[in-house]
Amino acid sequence: MRRATSATAHYRCEFDLRPLGSIDQPWSSLAKSIRHWIEQSPQMAPPETNDAFFAGWFFRSGEWRPPGARYHYVRTASLVGNGDDRAPQYWAVRYEHDDDEPARTWRTDIGITRISSTDYRFALAIGHFVREGYIGREPKSPMPTAPRLVGWLLRSPDWRAFSGTEQLLSEPRVLNTGDGEGFRRRLEDPDRECPIVLVSRDFDSGKFLIDPGLLARKLSGSASIYESASSDLDRELEWCLGRRFSCWNGMVRVYQPELRFDGPADARRHRFVPGRAIGELGVDTVLDMLVRGVARRVGVARADTIVALEDIATIDREHRMATLKAEAGEADRHEWISLLEETNSDLEEQNRKKDERIQALENEVADLSDAVSRLEFDTRSLRQRATNAERAAAGLRARADAIAALDRLPQSMREVVNAISVLHRDRIAFTDQALRTADECEFRRINDTWTCLRAMATTLHDLFFQSEDVGNLEQRFFESTGFRLAMTEGEMTKDNNKLMRLRKDVYKGTEIDITPHVKIDKDSTRVYFFPHRSGETQLIVVGYIGHLKTAGTRRRRN
């Protein structure tokens, strides 16, 4: 059922509530929770100054206004239907109030529909509008966020919330390695009715670029949030979901309902933000884009659901017309009823067209807002590209100067390190330990050293920081350069704390893990490094040149 409204959509959600055995009067408990939420609103005048707020009208039909309030009221309506006086089939509440912005009013509509003897459908729509006659600066729309009421219901021990077959929680679900097939089944479930948002981990740091917990709180009731337990899940999901539907390396992806893995073009419908874009735009901008895109587009008010006071009036009129038709027995009343039905049909058709127009305008506003966000994204991206181009030009000038300053080719490991650190200063750095071990290193194939360190400053840097396709880094690096890359050590070495402590170093006052390494030759010499990312700085930080002890080294000596 659709309703007319001039309010700009801010937040929408709809889900089914199933009471647990611990609750005696589910409907009454739900209505009281809604009243308590209104009571706790920061804009609410202290209700204890007006006892009428707590009277029985709230559970039936009526209106309450705080003393002296002009744009502030609470109004309810109910229709018993196939329920009873203590638990009607339909009930709705509207809560309107102003805010700190001049002439702006906020409207919250909540509808409760009894869908079985125990279950209820909860529908909420929050919007805001500028009052008629106002001339001035249009208030900026804040970031949508779920009201506390939704979080209360999702965390309540008395209720379980579902959107179709997907249970809704107030916190993210964790996807562990091995959960790929189960996650695929959730995505393609035809009875899932809400979006699923997956937040993956950045490959370099192992951390999230967007806080899944914050995203879950802001999208409570309108989406189900999942988070990757580790970057190891990226490859599993690429296998289970297919490359077009995968989510990796800090990416955030929104999987819409009715997903079809067999639809060649369906992947485009499930939008994503790559990790690199999050870094360029900033967390707050991306978070705003995600929340607006999901929270405003949730389909609410289905044919069997109410969300506003007007919906109850429409249902009541339909019921009364049906009753008149059933009770009419005199022939001369048939024509009158037919005329009423015809008039009602005309009015319904007019309302339907108006609602369609309103919905089209709301979608147009939302699309324009999205277009503005995309333009802001493009502007920031272009600025970032310009900054990167300037930085690259400066790097090229520095390399040209360094090449011009070379009076002879490097003759030792340390001279190679010095030259590479100057030629690729924006891509590779060497710690004090790396410089010391370069001096001590007995490896004498200078050409191989040069080729390896240059490959790390170019190819390896690009694989870590420029490529959105993680894939198999070790294999891709070998295919591009001929050098073997190892991202970790063997199990016996990793289990030995003493050996793993050797793979720690310090860069600019921060401890780093230099377990990853590139093999210059088969046995004797490795370059141990850490992929360092801090703000706009992206460096391959070398911490040791040589061969650190392993469990295998000790066995060979024995």
Side-chain angles (χ1 to χ4, degrees):
M1 181 175 300
R2 310 194 71 83
R3 63 185 179 88
T5 175
S6 57
T8 299
H10 179 73
Y11 196 89
R12 298 173 175 174
C13 66
E14 178 184 314
F15 50 85
D16 295 343
L17 287 170
R18 186 171 303 158
L20 301 182
S22 58
I23 185 169
D24 295 329
Q25 297 180 335
W27 187 90
S28 176
S29 175
L30 180 56
K32 288 179 179 177
S33 295
I34 295 172
R35 186 177 66 178
H36 180 65
W37 171 71
I38 297 174
E39 172 193 347
Q40 297 294 314
S41 169
Q43 292 79 19
M44 188 73 167
E48 49 267 22
T49 63
N50 189 338
D51 293 337
F53 177 75
F54 296 98
W57 66 269
F58 187 84
F59 304 99
R60 297 185 298 272
S61 297
E63 181 177 295
W64 176 86
R65 291 178 181 269
R70 186 178 178 186
Y71 303 109
H72 195 145
Y73 70 85
V74 180
R75 186 179 300 153
T76 64
S78 65
L79 186 63
V80 171
N82 59 19
D84 54 53
D85 291 337
R86 302 185 65 180
Q89 183 180 3
Y90 303 104
W91 180 83
V93 59
R94 173 170 292 164
Y95 172 41
E96 282 195 5
H97 63 83
D98 53 11
D99 68 1
D100 296 334
E101 290 285 352
R104 181 165 68 186
T105 296
W106 287 87
R107 171 184 295 171
T108 300
D109 282 313
I110 300 174
I112 305 298
T113 305
R114 185 175 180 175
I115 56 178
S116 73
S117 60
T118 58
D119 295 359
Y120 298 88
R121 180 160 295 138
F122 176 94
L124 176 144
I126 298 177
H128 54 83
F129 57 90
V130 175
R131 293 188 289 273
E132 292 183 3
Y134 171 74
I135 299 176
R137 177 183 59 85
E138 289 286 333
K140 184 178 180 180
S141 295
M143 180 189 297
T145 188
R148 287 187 299 168
L149 172 63
V150 177
W152 291 351
L153 294 174
L154 267 56
R155 290 190 299 271
S156 171
D158 298 326
W159 298 96
R160 290 292 180 270
F162 293 88
S163 180
T165 53
E166 181 74 14
Q167 183 177 354
L168 299 176
L169 303 176
S170 61
E171 297 295 331
R173 286 184 173 87
V174 178
L175 276 184
N176 294 296
T177 303
D179 292 340
E181 286 297 334
F183 186 62
R184 177 189 173 99
R185 289 192 293 271
R186 284 182 181 272
L187 293 182
E188 64 183 351
D189 185 347
D191 296 320
R192 172 174 65 90
E193 296 179 355
C194 68
I196 284 179
V197 182
L198 175 59
V199 185
S200 64
R201 291 179 182 267
D202 178 65
F203 185 83
D204 303 331
S205 65
K207 298 179 180 179
F208 298 112
L209 303 181
I210 293 284
D211 181 2
L214 178 60
L215 196 59
R217 290 190 292 275
K218 288 188 172 295
L219 290 176
S220 290
S222 60
S224 187
I225 312 300
Y226 288 72
E227 64 177 52
S228 297
S230 72
S231 296
D232 295 337
L233 186 69
D234 293 356
R235 296 177 185 175
E236 180 181 344
L237 290 183
E238 184 173 350
W239 173 263
C240 295
L241 308 184
R243 190 178 187 83
R244 291 179 297 116
F245 291 90
S246 58
C247 180
W248 64 83
N249 196 21
M251 179 189 294
V252 180
R253 188 156 197 169
V254 181
Y255 297 95
Q256 300 291 348
E258 301 179 0
L259 183 148
R260 293 186 55 189
F261 286 109
D262 59 349
D266 196 53
R268 292 196 296 270
R269 193 166 58 88
H270 310 283
R271 306 303 294 272
F272 61 86
V273 182
R276 184 171 61 183
I278 297 173
E280 292 176 353
L281 289 175
V283 172
D284 291 342
T285 299
V286 174
L287 187 64
D288 184 75
M289 290 169 55
L290 289 169
V291 174
R292 289 184 187 277
V294 174
R296 295 185 315 183
R297 303 298 178 87
V298 173
V300 300
R302 293 176 294 180
D304 57 347
T305 303
I306 64 152
V307 68
L309 304 172
E310 292 81 1
D311 297 335
I312 289 184
T314 299
I315 292 175
D316 187 36
R317 183 174 66 250
E318 292 173 351
H319 284 186
R320 286 189 285 109
M321 291 294 295
T323 301
L324 281 174
K325 184 175 182 179
E327 293 178 351
E330 301 175 11
D332 57 351
R333 297 185 62 184
H334 282 290
E335 182 177 359
W336 176 73
I337 293 175
S338 297
L339 289 173
L340 287 177
E341 290 180 336
E342 183 178 346
T343 301
N344 186 63
S345 297
D346 290 342
L347 291 174
E348 290 290 341
E349 179 63 18
Q350 293 176 24
N351 286 336
R352 185 188 65 79
K353 291 180 179 179
K354 290 180 180 178
D355 290 346
E356 289 179 351
R357 176 58 178 163
I358 290 169
Q359 186 65 47
L361 290 173
E362 288 181 345
N363 289 339
E364 184 177 343
V365 169
D367 290 340
L368 288 172
S369 179
D370 291 344
V372 170
S373 296
R374 287 195 296 271
L375 287 173
E376 291 175 347
F377 171 83
D378 292 341
T379 300
R380 288 189 181 92
S381 296
L382 289 172
R383 287 175 179 169
Q384 185 63 42
R385 290 177 185 175
T387 300
N388 293 342
E390 292 174 359
R391 190 177 294 122
L396 289 173
R397 286 193 296 270
R399 289 179 195 135
D401 293 342
I403 291 172
L406 282 176
D407 55 359
R408 63 184 178 85
L409 295 175
Q411 303 296 311
S412 66
M413 176 73 76
R414 178 59 184 267
E415 290 183 3
V416 172
V417 167
N418 291 342
I420 291 293
S421 64
V422 172
L423 290 172
H424 301 282
R425 65 181 64 182
D426 57 335
R427 287 172 162 259
I428 195 167
F430 297 83
T431 67
D432 291 342
Q433 178 177 255
L435 297 177
R436 176 176 55 79
T437 53
D439 285 332
E440 298 170 354
C441 184
E442 298 179 356
F443 189 73
R444 292 292 177 262
R445 298 211 297 271
I446 303 304
N447 185 59
D448 290 348
T449 302
W450 175 275
T451 305
C452 178
L453 290 178
R454 184 182 180 281
M456 293 179 66
T458 55
T459 305
L460 187 62
H461 185 281
D462 289 344
L463 288 175
F464 269 105
F465 301 117
Q466 304 300 323
S467 175
E468 294 178 4
D469 180 11
V470 177
N472 188 327
L473 282 175
E474 297 167 343
Q475 184 63 29
R476 293 172 64 192
F477 184 71
F478 176 72
E479 290 174 351
S480 299
T481 66
F483 291 100
R484 290 291 182 184
L485 166 67
M487 292 301 299
T488 187
E489 296 285 5
E491 292 299 325
M492 293 183 66
T493 301
K494 289 193 293 184
D495 290 339
N496 189 313
N497 293 332
K498 182 178 180 181
L499 293 177
M500 292 307 294
R501 281 196 297 270
L502 298 176
R503 287 151 177 82
K504 302 294 183 182
D505 197 3
V506 176
Y507 178 68
K508 292 189 174 181
T510 301
E511 185 178 80
I512 59 175
D513 182 354
I514 57 171
T515 300
H517 55 275
V518 175
K519 303 176 182 180
I520 299 182
D521 67 349
K522 184 177 180 181
D523 298 314
S524 67
T525 309
R526 281 99 172 88
V527 181
Y528 296 82
F529 69 92
F530 172 73
H532 172 72
R533 185 198 302 267
S534 178
E536 296 181 355
T537 301
Q538 299 171 343
L539 293 171
I540 298 295
V541 178
V542 177
Y544 191 96
I545 300 175
H547 197 310
L548 289 170
K549 292 180 181 179
T550 66
T553 304
R554 299 173 69 186
R555 287 198 309 272
R556 285 193 295 271
R557 289 180 177 177
N558 293 335

